[in-house]
Structure formats: structure tokens, C-alpha cells
Amino acid sequence: MNIQRFFLFFLVFLAGCSKPSEEIVVATAANVQYVMKEIKAEFEKETGKKIDIVVGSSGKLTTQIREGAPFDVFVSADTKYPQEIFKNGGSAEKPKIYALGTLVLWSKNIPKAELNVEVLADGKIKKIAIPNPETAPYGEAAIQVLKSKNLFGEIEKKLVFGESIAQTAQYTISGNVEAGFNALSIVLSPEMKDQGNYIILDSTDYKPIEQAAILLNHSEDSPKKKTSEQFYKFLYSQKAKEIFQKYGYK
């Protein structure tokens, strides 16, 4: 046996002897990303187990799950996508609501005293950032607000769509748009706090943003199964609830 064949055999032997990783991957809607950083830290401190967070719009994460992405838990910005996964056999458990989201209007330069939905029709406002309503529930809620005020047709051409609420936030704080719709949790995050001005929009102008999570399927012998179940339970704990409330969730 030459040295190269021996080395290859040794690597295969080690791989066979190594313990499968218990680190889980949590697919996370962009509006929850800063909350999840804190929940991740608390969970890892309490259990000694590791989790990895993948951030995106709820719609795009759902597409990735359909295509076989190796996620263990899905924390969505709505109930629709987790329910779709459940109906298609992606989980043995129905999704559960973990929080209600809050929609805000945000601007880098417009003074708070002048910031309101009606001002978006002003000719001085050229661009308005909004999460893509086809994949991001907060974008869908923003459209509902505009329609409730009979403003959608008037300002539709001004809308600039972000792939997720995170990209929409970048459009807003960079000043590339005059205003943007976003989640209260984003503007309260350490990274975004005190950047510009925002107002909380009337929750009666849009359907409640019920945010749900779902525990994705695992085989019985999967080393990730127990950790995934443990994290999913932690997501609904009092400690996690306090973190959600800190970021403006109800």
C-alpha cells in the first residue's frame, strides 16, 4: 500500500469514527435576525449546544426548504409559509405562533413630526423602500396600509422592492430612498437604533402579522433531532419571550 492510499484509507477511517454533528441550522426570517442572535446566545449558554442561523425572506427560505435545504427549525415572519410546509409533510407538528410583528414607516432624513403615510404622496418623495410582498409578510402588510389609505395607485411607481426586510433597511439607512416600510424589531436593533426617524403604523390598517415557527422533520436516529426539539421548545420559553418583547414584538 503506497503512502497516498494509506493516507486516504486513514481519512475514511477517521470519518467513520467521528461523531455526527449535533449543531442545528435555524432558518430565520430577516425581521427576527437580531432577536435570534440573542436567543442563540442564551440557548448555547444554557445548553452548551451550538446553532447556526441562516437569514432570508420567509418565502425564499420556504423555497429552499422545499428544495431540500438542511434546515432543522424554521422561524417565519408569518403563519402561511410554515402552514404550507406542514401541509406538504415537512413537519409532524403544526406550526405555532411565537409573536405578533409591528410595522413601521422609517426615514433617514424626514423629521419625525412630518413622517406619516400621507406624506409619501408628496412630489418630493421619489423612492419608497418596501420588502417584496410576494415573499416578505411585512411587505404584504405595507401594501395593505397603502390601500387602506387609498394611496397605493398614487405611489406605486415610487416603490423600490427589497428581497427581504434586511435589504429594505439598507435602502432606508443609506438614504437611497426617502422612506421605507420595515419591522419595529429592525429599527430597535443595536445595529440600526437611532438611525433616522420612525413611526409605528396603526395596526388596524393591516392584518395582524402573526409569526410562527415550525420544527422540521428529522429521522429518529438523527443526531440533530433532540437538539432541534430542545431549541424549538426554548423558542417559546419565558426567557425567549422577554427577548422578543425587548424588540417590540407583542
Side-chain angles (χ1 to χ4, degrees):
M1 183 182 292
N2 63 37
I3 188 65
Q4 288 181 326
R5 289 182 64 191
F6 175 79
F7 184 64
L8 179 59
F9 173 82
F10 184 66
L11 288 178
V12 172
F13 174 78
L14 285 179
C17 292
S18 63
K19 184 180 179 181
S21 173
E22 294 183 6
E23 182 173 329
I24 65 169
V25 182
V26 180
T28 303
N31 76 90
V32 198
Q33 61 181 302
Y34 298 110
V35 178
M36 289 300 295
K37 284 183 180 180
E38 293 197 25
I39 290 178
K40 166 186 162 76
E42 287 294 330
F43 178 77
E44 291 181 343
K45 182 172 72 173
E46 188 172 297
T47 66
K49 296 179 180 180
K50 298 294 184 181
I51 67 172
D52 187 26
I53 296 172
V54 173
V55 177
S57 68
S58 297
K60 288 201 170 184
L61 291 171
T62 300
T63 298
Q64 291 172 22
I65 291 168
R66 284 196 215 106
E67 294 173 351
F71 300 145
D72 301 288
V73 177
F74 176 32
V75 182
S76 180
D78 68 355
T79 58
K80 178 179 72 175
Y81 290 117
Q83 189 64 31
E84 176 188 320
I85 291 168
F86 172 71
K87 285 183 177 180
N88 290 332
S91 174
E93 298 184 26
K94 291 182 179 180
K96 293 195 304 184
I97 294 170
Y98 60 85
L100 295 178
T102 300
L103 185 68
V104 301
L105 182 63
W106 190 17
S107 176
K108 183 178 181 181
N109 298 312
I110 299 174
K112 188 166 186 175
E114 300 174 17
L115 192 58
N116 55 64
V117 177
E118 287 74 15
V119 80
L120 300 179
D122 192 299
K124 295 178 182 179
I125 305 295
K126 304 298 182 183
K127 294 179 181 179
I128 304 160
I130 181 173
N132 185 347
E134 293 184 3
T135 58
Y138 281 80
E140 186 177 355
I143 296 294
Q144 291 167 5
V145 170
L146 293 174
K147 288 183 176 178
S148 75
K149 303 293 186 184
N150 297 315
L151 289 170
F152 181 70
E154 191 173 352
I155 70 170
E156 184 177 6
K157 292 182 179 179
K158 299 181 181 184
L159 299 179
V160 177
F161 297 100
E163 288 187 4
S164 70
I165 211 161
Q167 187 177 58
T168 307
Q170 291 301 321
Y171 290 159
T172 304
I173 64 171
S174 67
N176 288 334
V177 300
E178 283 80 13
F181 290 93
N182 221 288
L184 178 59
S185 58
I186 296 293
V187 300
L188 292 180
S189 68
E191 290 84 348
M192 302 291 179
K193 197 173 183 180
D194 300 325
Q195 295 200 45
N197 303 298
Y198 72 91
I199 58 167
I200 296 175
L201 297 173
D202 188 342
S203 61
T204 63
D205 288 335
Y206 58 91
K207 293 179 182 177
I209 306 175
E210 296 179 330
Q211 303 194 193
I214 192 166
L215 178 65
L216 301 173
N217 282 338
H218 295 82
S219 62
E220 285 300 321
D221 60 350
S222 170
K224 294 185 174 187
K225 188 174 188 295
K226 185 177 179 180
T227 305
S228 299
E229 291 171 347
Q230 195 172 4
F231 176 77
Y232 188 65
K233 184 178 180 181
F234 186 81
L235 194 62
Y236 296 90
S237 67
Q238 182 59 35
K239 189 171 288 185
K241 183 179 180 180
E242 290 170 1
I243 297 172
F244 278 114
Q245 290 174 338
K246 174 182 170 182
Y247 282 83
Y249 289 98
K250 298 176 183 177

